[in-house]
Amino acid sequence: MIGLISATAAGAAARDRLAAAWPERTRVYEGLVGEAVRAAFAECEQVVCFLATGAVVRLLAPLLGGKAADPGVVCVDEAGRFAVSLLGGHGGGANELAREVGEVLGAEPVVTTATDSVGLPGLDTLGLPYEGSVAVVSRALLDGEPVALEAEVAWPLPPLPVAAQGSYTIRVTDRAVPAGERELLLRPPSLVVGVGASKGAPAEEVLALVEGALREAGLSPASVAELATVDAKAEEPGIVAAAERLGVPLVTYSAEELAAVEVPNPSDAPLAAVGTPSVAEAAALVRGGELLVPKRKSAGRPAMATCAVVRRPGRGRLAVVGLGPGARDLLTPRAAAELRRASVLVGLDQYVDQIRDLLRPGTRVLESGLGAEEERARTAVAEARKGHAVALIGSGDAGVYAMASPALAEASDDIDVVGVPGVTAALAAGAILGAPLGHDHVSISLSDLHTPWEVIERRVRAAAEADLVVTFYNPRSRGRDWQLPKALAILAGHREPTTPVGVVRNASRPDESARVTTLAALDPATVDMMTVVTVGNTATREIAGRMVTPRGYRWQAAQEGAE
């Protein structure tokens, strides 16, 4: 919950705007400001004060307990110009909250955390439990000192400017080792504990078994991702309570799924009880991994629980990102966030140049020229399979004549794939032209490099006969100069010569140009590969210099009747 506090009418107005935007996330604290601050500080995860920063500092000073426990606090000035991350920038989420508040109120977020100021991810904000000298290692990164990354477990981390060797170390490990003086340990959620239990097994016995198995194997409890068992034990109190005390989810599988898993220590007892020869080992291994601790029994007499521990490999992450048509303000916030998150960026060199300034220090860039789409897709998938966080970029929407298709054809279920939509060239051109896509429409690429012309022609004829608005991608190049005239001739067989046609070149870019002409008047020689051509349907009209396709023919008929 986010506590909202104000002292003046202007502050209350901004406060109420934020409360209206986030009704489920916020709580307004009325009354005396000092009492309101103390109550919100004690009751909320985050606080937004519409007060001067000096006043908030004085009010907060007696309440501060430590960065691990204090809520994040953001201050907004009386004029609503700035949203200042004052306290708990990383641990309390105030940096991100300042950005969110800024978006709602039109205020400029002010973030002074050192790592954020220079574009480095905070080592305490990576979403992984950590131990050791986070401040010391962060300072070394900021000062340009050589910091080594030792990944004993591959995990998709954001970009970090690390070296092969260094006096400081970031170690990604699930082993129960102490952190050195100049070392930060990151604990990936790589361990799965499979658990079986007799009916009525005490939570203490289950928990002691799990903790003992981890301790004797030299594994960190902070890296346990989940407890896993058979469906029949989903509500067994001892197992449920053990998962709660460990702070991890309980995941269950059917007996049929577990019976299909090959295990080193099957038994007749669970087969008779729940229908599978293994619960602990099979539940830990069902999604793959390395068996670190084979099935072991609890110390009770009789033993009422079993467990096994598996290390699952870190799943790489592939984000397929659409950059939009070119203008920076048409790049979505989600796309920008994925660019900052990726430690490896793969893309066409000219697209990389568009967003290079958004990349964080340490991002590894793998760029190539035109015509290497399949190679880029294979490279991106291969890097994700190594456990990296990868962004594969394309213009417009990555799923429309871009990189998503070849990448997903190459990827299997051994990596996580995230699609990030972008503004397409058709949409950007349509917005410039007016409203040509107001009814059913289709996009057709006229490039026959990968698609036979016979197939393209059949699609153009179908669109013409169906009276669809058509947007042509890749309409004409120096080596392909006859396809556009042929496509236009096909459409002309089904539409009047006066049908509006929109021609937009370099949509949203500094040298953008656009015009509306007609099907008869369009000169294909004025079109190139940077151009999008939109041909209206039989209802499309030019109104005040803009292309307009009505949402329904009934509206168009009524309009013509009124004339």
Side-chain angles (χ1 to χ4, degrees), residues 44 61 78 100 169 203 226 248 269 276 353 373 391 400 416 422 445-446 453 472 510 518 528 552:
C44 298
E78 282 285 290
E100 292 185 82
T169 305
E226 62 192 40
V248 298
T276 171
D353 289 340
E373 289 84 0
V400 179
D416 294 326
S445 171
L446 294 182
W453 173 253
F472 288 121
T518 65
D528 62 13

Side-chain angles (χ1 to χ4, degrees), residues 252-344:
T252 66
Y253 301 95
S254 69
E256 290 75 17
E257 288 179 283
L258 299 187
V261 179
E262 185 175 343
V263 298
N265 300 293
S267 173
D268 292 335
L271 179 61
V274 293
T276 171
S278 173
V279 173
E281 287 181 338
L285 285 166
V286 66
R287 287 169 53 193
E290 176 189 3
L291 183 63
L292 301 180
V293 180
K295 182 180 72 174
R296 57 184 294 170
K297 296 181 179 181
S298 59
R301 293 291 183 267
M304 299 187 72
T306 59
C307 83
V309 183
V310 163
R311 176 186 288 137
R312 286 182 185 162
R315 289 175 63 86
R317 188 176 190 275
L318 173 61
V320 188
V321 180
L323 300 180
R328 178 57 58 84
D329 58 354
L330 292 182
L331 177 74
T332 68
R334 185 181 299 182
E338 288 293 348
L339 296 178
R340 291 192 297 270
R341 176 174 181 167
S343 61
V344 180

Side-chain angles (χ1 to χ4, degrees), residues 127-148:
L128 300 179
Y130 61 89
E131 302 166 20
S133 306
V134 63
V136 171
V137 176
S138 295
R139 173 54 59 188
L141 286 173
L142 289 168
D143 290 344
E145 297 281 352
V147 177

Side-chain angles (χ1 to χ4, degrees), residues 437-448:
L437 308 181
H439 206 294
D440 297 338
H441 55 275
V442 64
S443 295
I444 299 177
S445 171
L446 294 182
S447 172
D448 55 0

Side-chain angles (χ1 to χ4, degrees), residues 345-365:
L345 182 88
V346 181
L348 179 67
D349 47 15
Q350 63 190 54
Y351 297 153
V352 172
D353 289 340
Q354 290 178 20
I355 49 83
R356 199 182 296 272
D357 62 302
L358 296 179
L359 304 180
R360 277 178 160 158
T363 305
R364 184 157 53 95
V365 177

Side-chain angles (χ1 to χ4, degrees), residues 467 496 498-500 537-543 548-550 552-563:
D467 198 26
E496 295 296 327
T498 55
T499 299
N537 65 14
T538 56
T540 304
R541 297 290 183 267
E542 181 179 348
I543 301 175
V548 180
T549 302
Y553 292 99
R554 188 176 304 169
W555 174 83
Q556 184 70 28
Q559 184 189 57
E560 290 175 349
E563 294 174 353

Side-chain angles (χ1 to χ4, degrees), residues 512-527:
E512 168 190 297
S513 64
R515 68 184 191 278
V516 177
T517 181
T518 65
L519 191 55
L522 175 61
D523 180 5
T526 62
V527 173

Side-chain angles (χ1 to χ4, degrees), residues 8-272:
T8 66
R15 176 203 69 192
D16 292 344
R17 286 175 57 198
L18 199 60
W22 299 339
E24 304 298 324
R25 298 177 60 190
T26 56
R27 179 191 303 165
V28 174
Y29 284 79
E30 304 277 9
L32 297 176
V33 171
E35 294 178 2
V37 168
R38 285 191 291 272
F41 195 87
E43 297 169 1
C44 298
E45 292 82 17
Q46 295 175 317
V47 180
V48 179
C49 295
F50 295 85
L51 304 164
T53 55
V56 177
V57 168
R58 286 191 292 272
L59 290 169
L60 291 180
L63 308 177
L64 300 181
K67 65 182 298 183
D70 293 337
V73 179
V74 170
C75 284
V76 179
D77 65 291
E78 282 285 290
R81 295 176 301 169
F82 303 102
V84 182
S85 175
L86 184 68
L87 179 70
H90 286 165
N95 290 350
E96 183 57 33
L97 180 59
R99 297 184 182 100
E100 292 185 82
V101 170
E103 289 178 5
V104 174
L105 301 181
E108 181 179 349
V110 179
V111 176
T112 58
T113 312
T115 50
D116 294 82
S117 300
V118 299
L120 289 175
L123 297 179
D124 52 352
T125 66
L126 301 181
L128 300 179
Y130 61 89
E131 302 166 20
S133 306
V134 63
V136 171
V137 176
S138 295
R139 173 54 59 188
L141 286 173
L142 289 168
D143 290 344
E145 297 281 352
V147 177
L149 175 63
E150 296 181 3
E152 298 176 6
V153 179
W155 211 260
L157 297 175
L160 296 167
V162 293
Q165 295 181 328
S167 303
Y168 303 83
T169 305
I170 299 171
R171 192 194 305 189
V172 185
T173 180
D174 56 19
R175 294 189 300 115
V177 293
E181 183 180 351
R182 295 184 170 188
E183 186 174 51
L184 176 69
L185 303 181
L186 296 177
R187 301 297 193 186
S190 55
L191 303 178
V192 177
V193 180
V195 177
S198 302
K199 185 176 181 179
E204 291 75 13
E205 184 170 339
V206 178
L207 190 62
L209 172 65
V210 171
E211 292 177 339
L214 293 171
R215 183 172 55 253
E216 292 178 24
L219 300 171
S220 171
S223 282
V224 175
E226 62 192 40
L227 257 59
T229 191
V230 66
D231 285 346
K233 297 296 180 180
E235 297 181 4
E236 183 63 42
I239 295 178
V240 173
E244 290 176 350
R245 294 188 198 178
L246 288 168
V248 298
L250 177 62
V251 179
T252 66
Y253 301 95
S254 69
E256 290 75 17
E257 288 179 283
L258 299 187
V261 179
E262 185 175 343
V263 298
N265 300 293
S267 173
D268 292 335
L271 179 61

